Amino acid sequence: MQFSFAYTHSPIDFYFRQSPRDFVVEEVPLYPFSGEGVHLVLKIRKKNCTTFELLKILSNHLGIKEKDIGYAGLKDKNALTIQHLTLPLSVRKSLESFTHKEIKILETTLHNNKLKIGHLKGNKFFVRIKKLDSLNAQKIVQVVKNIQKYGIPNYFSYQRFGKDGKNYLQGKAIAEQTQKVRNKKMQNFLLSAYQSYLFNAWLSLRLDISHIISANPAHSIAKALQMYADNLTDNLKAFVPSLAIPQIFTQHDYCNALKSQEHCFKLFSGDIMCHYPFGKNFSIENREDLMQESQRFLSKDIAPTGLLSGIKANVSKEVAGAFEIPFSDSKIQSVGTRRYAWIFPQDLQFTYKEEEAQGEFSFFLPKGAYATNLLREIAHREIMESQSEGESDV
């Protein structure tokens, strides 16, 4: 399934292949390390190996179990990546003899706690693209300005769905109990891929609806939305056999209020928002709050969230719920949560090197966000020529 784009520019032509030279990721810790405690913190630079391969190499050398090593996030194989690990302090002496051609320990310190998944602020990225002519470089400059102002949809990128892009179907089968996977870790991974796909499909639908609202006069929006609902793609129909358009879209004043929102992602009553870049969730209770909250969204103070289905996850209500509930699967027995549907890349910079016909991006993304998703939005096309091998760039 091809997911919708936020912006409407024509596709931009360039070449991107993920490699240690052209794709650099540096993890930003959630908090400063204390400098004391029973856990040894390593700042490690690696290339040509996944985080799981890194853990195996270290555990074999140090004579400890992989589960004794703490890490905040997974990093790609086909990249130059810098991340932090925690180890038991008892291995400090054994670590002195560690050498590996693809792995370098940059710094060590101490901390009171073992690192756990999610204990990072985000990642800084450097990305190089090639075969870029001056005309396409000029187009990128304008798109970057839009992204700096409005942000991007927070899709799960292609790496999340395996080399064939279809591992979510196994997750769906597991949820429906038509397939069993003995390995608990793999089972959870596949279920998570299914949750991620449902999230992406919902987000794509919301973008489609937002574009319809922007493109049509208020009195035509209900009819345009109904035409859209009557002609859903086959991929969407597999998850949403039918889509009911709320009657409120026949009210011109409500549609005018939606059209007056400057942001390209239109907020609805019932949307569950979250303070950005972190904070508590809250709902837009009524249409009177829409304009105020849309301005806060435009100011990057808050952002909408989407559902990762599970038994404890809150589901949107009212108008927003009409579009989210079809993507909620009660058969998924994991906890579930909500995820930012929209993010704002920080420190986004683009440099064009005309003689080399290359472009260079640098930026920061919050945890859980994908650099390849940003490139996809800029390119306005899929950029799956070179898939990473089994891990995400988060």
Side-chain angles (χ1 to χ4, degrees):
M1 178 177 177
Q2 289 192 340
F3 302 114
S4 300
F5 296 94
Y7 302 101
T8 56
H9 59 276
S10 58
I12 297 176
D13 189 37
F14 58 78
Y15 175 79
F16 169 68
R17 182 177 180 84
Q18 202 168 308
S19 69
R21 182 175 180 272
D22 298 328
F23 195 81
V24 181
V25 189
E26 181 173 358
E27 185 178 275
V28 179
L30 184 60
Y31 39 68
F33 299 112
S34 63
E36 58 184 26
V38 297
H39 295 276
L40 183 65
V41 181
L42 308 184
K43 184 177 182 179
I44 287 186
R45 184 179 68 211
K46 68 172 184 65
K47 61 180 180 179
N48 300 320
C49 67
T50 68
T51 299
F52 290 134
E53 290 168 344
L54 170 63
L55 299 184
K56 186 173 183 179
I57 290 167
L58 284 172
S59 65
N60 287 340
H61 177 82
L62 299 172
I64 60 175
K65 296 179 179 179
E66 291 180 34
K67 67 179 183 179
D68 294 328
I69 305 175
Y71 57 95
L74 302 177
K75 299 292 180 283
D76 271 304
K77 181 173 187 173
N78 299 325
L80 182 67
T81 70
I82 298 172
Q83 70 179 119
H84 296 86
L85 304 177
T86 53
L87 303 169
L89 186 56
S90 59
V91 305
R92 175 182 269 177
K93 188 69 176 176
S94 302
L95 196 63
E96 293 176 0
S97 61
F98 176 77
T99 59
H100 193 283
K101 65 178 181 178
E102 307 287 16
I103 301 167
K104 183 176 178 60
I105 299 173
L106 302 177
E107 296 176 9
T108 64
T109 186
L110 299 177
H111 194 58
N112 301 307
N113 302 314
K114 179 182 178 181
L115 276 177
K116 295 182 179 179
I117 285 288
H119 282 194
L120 73 160
K121 183 178 181 182
N123 295 285
K124 292 189 292 186
F125 294 90
F126 168 84
V127 179
R128 181 183 289 112
I129 59 176
K130 300 177 180 179
K131 300 181 181 179
L132 178 68
D133 62 33
S134 58
L135 180 60
N136 281 304
Q138 291 173 20
K139 290 170 67 176
I140 288 177
V141 169
Q142 184 56 53
V143 176
V144 165
K145 288 180 180 178
N146 288 334
I147 292 174
Q148 287 170 334
K149 183 174 182 179
Y150 297 110
I152 58 172
N154 193 23
Y155 284 120
F156 289 93
S157 197
Y158 61 82
Q159 301 99 316
R160 190 71 189 80
F161 305 108
K163 292 184 178 181
D164 64 355
K166 296 181 179 180
N167 65 6
Y168 70 91
L169 292 173
Q170 293 176 268
K172 185 174 186 289
I174 292 170
E176 294 171 347
Q177 298 185 358
T178 59
Q179 178 177 332
K180 292 184 178 180
V181 176
R182 290 185 178 182
N183 185 307
K184 187 71 174 178
K185 186 175 180 181
M186 179 56 67
Q187 175 180 294
N188 290 338
F189 176 79
L190 293 171
L191 275 172
S192 178
Y194 178 43
Q195 291 172 306
S196 303
Y197 190 87
L198 289 173
F199 174 93
N200 276 11
W202 162 82
L203 182 52
S204 182
L205 178 119
R206 282 291 298 264
L207 278 169
D208 287 344
I209 291 171
S210 293
H211 290 318
I212 290 170
I213 291 168
S214 296
N216 288 275
H219 67 270
S220 300
I221 288 175
K223 182 178 179 181
L225 288 176
Q226 191 57 57
M227 288 180 62
Y228 173 78
D230 291 341
N231 294 278
L232 293 178
T233 64
D234 290 339
N235 282 323
L236 268 179
K237 284 182 179 178
F239 295 93
V240 187
S242 63
L243 182 67
I245 303 300
Q247 282 295 310
I248 197 169
F249 286 101
T250 62
Q251 299 180 18
H252 295 174
D253 59 337
Y254 182 77
C255 291
N256 278 320
L258 297 178
K259 287 183 68 66
S260 67
Q261 296 180 27
E262 180 181 341
H263 203 284
C264 58
F265 186 92
K266 306 305 182 186
L267 302 182
F268 300 143
S269 52
D271 262 323
I272 298 178
M273 311 295 290
C274 185
H275 295 276
Y276 192 89
F278 53 83
K280 293 183 178 180
N281 292 347
F282 66 96
S283 296
I284 300 178
E285 298 294 343
N286 51 62
R287 71 174 73 178
E288 288 74 24
D289 294 335
L290 276 176
M291 282 308 300
Q292 178 182 346
E293 301 304 348
S294 68
Q295 285 300 314
R296 293 175 68 198
F297 178 29
L298 192 63
S299 300
K300 306 177 184 178
D301 294 328
I302 60 174
T305 66
L307 177 69
L308 293 176
S309 286
I311 56 179
K312 293 187 177 181
N314 292 327
V315 181
S316 296
K317 299 178 181 178
E318 299 184 43
V319 178
F323 299 122
E324 184 172 273
I325 290 171
F327 297 93
S328 173
D329 191 336
S330 61
K331 295 185 291 292
I332 297 175
Q333 293 301 299
S334 58
V335 174
T337 187
R338 297 197 67 85
R339 168 184 169 90
Y340 282 117
W342 206 267
I343 56 170
F344 304 102
Q346 296 177 21
D347 305 320
L348 174 59
Q349 300 294 328
F350 170 70
T351 303
Y352 179 51
K353 296 187 174 181
E354 188 169 8
E355 290 187 5
E356 295 91 344
Q358 295 179 357
E360 295 178 350
F361 299 95
S362 60
F363 51 92
F364 170 86
L365 295 179
K367 64 181 181 180
Y370 291 76
T372 45
N373 181 45
L374 172 61
L375 284 183
R376 174 186 181 272
E377 188 65 51
I378 291 171
H380 203 81
R381 58 183 172 82
E382 303 305 326
I383 52 164
M384 297 172 61
E385 292 88 349
S386 174
Q387 295 204 9
S388 60
E389 299 184 20
E391 292 192 33
S392 64
D393 51 353
V394 300

